[in-house]
Amino acid sequence: MSRQPNLTATLAKGLEVMEALADLEETGLTELARRLDLSAPTLFRILSTLVAEGYALKAAGRYRLSLKSWEIGAKAVRRLKLKDLVRPRAERLSQRSAESAHLAVLQGSGVVIIDKVDAAQPVRVDTYLGQRAPAHCSATGKAILAFLPPERVDEVLEPPLQRYTERTICDVRKLRKELAAARGQGYAVNRGEWRTDVCAIAVPLQDHAKEVVASLSLTLPTVRFTEDAIRTSFLPALREAAAAISADLGRA
Amino acid sequence: MSRQPNLTATLAKGLEVMEALADLEETGLTELARRLDLSAPTLFRILSTLVAEGYALKAAGRYRLSLKSWEIGAKAVRRLKLKDLVRPRAERLSQRSAESAHLAVLQGSGVVIIDKVDAAQPVRVDTYLGQRAPAHCSATGKAILAFLPPERVDEVLEPPLQRYTERTICDVRKLRKELAAARGQGYAVNRGEWRTDVCAIAVPLQDHAKEVVASLSLTLPTVRFTEDAIRTSFLPALREAAAAISADLGRA
DNA sequence: TGTCGTATTTCATTATTTGAAATACAATTT
DNA sequence: AAATTGTATTTCAAATAATGAAATACGACA
């Protein structure tokens, strides 16, 4: 076994187990051991440790992820403060446009939704706080990438870019062109590039130093994403919200 | 060093480091090593692993917690489904009462806020999603404990109960009496038992099998927590919300 | 009661973690 | 520019903890 220098393999394994639990709803020992290719005793000890530390729950021999990792991470989210500032604007944005507003930040090679306001109408896109989307085929991701320094963009757009639908832009050159265009326009769109029936339009949010720190989007079913709605409703509403937030961020 | 059987010490250490990062905003290696009583090389390897796995971020030799643990945990939160169901009721509850509504679940010996609707007035209590409160001196905690089977209550009320204010009930016998009363009344209150200037009133939420799974509260500054407001506004609003949710849960 | 599949413990072996010390790096002072 | 200080990182032999095969316990079902 080739060993990485200066890393603790045991910890890495434990974190992997935690991630697997997150995707699994509930699992037994043997089942998970097979999935992760760990021996039963090893996995048993890891799970026992996770339970002892409160990260996993055990009931009737079955393991589940607890809320502890969420709780821990919530402290980091809270520190972003962004949320408090954006929330009232996002509410107004959602009302004006009748669509769902999302606040997202870049995290690794994807974006994560850190706040949202659901559209007040029954047909809407199902999303959740903490949900991750690929940066290269989401409006929020592209709005952020468009305003990021080139070297940061390179890290995120490490080929190959995964294809999700026939509209996903997987060609890095082509994507860069689009990002340049988005920078010019001040907004980015996603037309079914991740999920066929979901479209979105997003604007970047910049802090006092004009660095992009997040993005704000309207996310909706493709059928409602008409050029007319974009021009007369979504874009004006997003721009107003972004301007107000940027002004606030300028002060803080 | 006396070794626990069947637990992986390295993983436990790594998780402790993660928790410390959550409380720390940002830290250097030496500083954190002192705090956790770990040798510099050991901590270095743990932090390197956390960074490699995406749980921590490193910039200019300083370490911070990333959003990854939050993202992982969000999947567990989402699975509770409760939130979706409660949200519209909580919104109406907050509007009717003009106070902040919280949805909380039991997690270890405390409760964690998994959803909230802020009061639409400027003077309100500062809380955040993922925030933990002690079960023995919060309205949400007591509302849940009051309807939990005795053996589960024992686990949570492991003495000594920590004192936070002069009103905190630290005597287990006395607290049990109050829980019995709360069970009779169908709601629990907290009168400055955790934070002097914060009061709350909470009702339990029960699933189809009549098991308590969460609680719903109104949380507000002590100055507004009058007997009159409780009787004419808070309690009726909470009861209506709880009844509607329970009916929904009965079906699901 | 017996059988089967899964979970847990034991224990000798093996591999990884460990920390002292050496070294590299960065910021600040002289 | 050189010296100083404090922190971060690497090295390496010793110490320790992790490992998995096998034995055992448990629990469901026949």
Side-chain angles (χ1 to χ4, degrees), chain A residues 4-9 11-13 15-16 19 108, chain B residues 21 43-58 63-64 66 68:
Chain A
Q4 286 295 93
N6 291 323
L7 293 180
T8 66
L11 173 54
K13 252 176 266 177
L15 295 172
E16 264 166 45
E19 281 175 55
Chain B
L21 284 180
L43 181 59
F44 175 72
R45 285 180 289 250
I46 289 174
L47 285 172
S48 299
T49 306
L50 288 174
V51 170
E53 297 288 326
Y55 288 85
L57 300 169
K58 181 180 178 177
Y63 295 88
R64 296 182 298 113
S66 82
K68 181 149 179 187

Side-chain angles (χ1 to χ4, degrees), chain A residues 54-76:
Chain A
Y55 288 85
L57 299 170
K58 181 181 179 178
R62 313 234 75 201
Y63 296 88
R64 296 182 296 115
L65 191 67
S66 81
L67 298 190
K68 183 149 177 185
S69 58
W70 185 71
E71 199 188 318
I72 296 287
K75 294 181 182 175

